[in-house]
Amino acid sequence: AAGIVTVSLVDGDYREVRRILHDEHDIVLKVGRPEYNAIRISTHIFNSEADVDRMLEVLPAAMARAE
């Protein structure tokens, strides 16, 4: 099953979070509209539990670095 979660960032820049996750962890996210300063996490049938766990593991550090 597919799922979509949007995370609005209080601090930091959504584009930098996306860049860190993509460039350093090979995780592809969509970015939200600029006025929301948000990233969109979309999973689908080809994503495993391990993929989601890895993204959740590295996301906090990426968000902290993007501040």
Side-chain angles (χ1 to χ4, degrees):
I4 298 174
V5 175
T6 301
V7 178
S8 182
L9 307 176
V10 175
D11 296 312
D13 183 71
Y14 69 101
R15 294 166 295 200
E16 182 64 7
V17 172
R18 182 197 167 279
R19 185 202 64 74
I20 292 167
L21 292 176
H22 181 265
D23 293 354
E24 298 177 17
H25 303 284
D26 198 29
I27 296 173
V28 178
L29 300 177
K30 298 289 185 181
V31 292
R33 294 172 54 179
E35 60 267 27
Y36 298 124
N37 194 36
I39 56 173
R40 189 181 83 194
I41 303 163
S42 306
T43 61
H44 208 284
I45 192 78
F46 48 79
N47 295 111
S48 68
E49 264 186 58
D51 292 335
V52 176
D53 289 343
R54 185 170 61 89
M55 189 274 307
L56 291 173
E57 182 179 314
V58 300
L59 182 60
M63 290 173 69
R65 286 181 48 205
E67 291 182 3

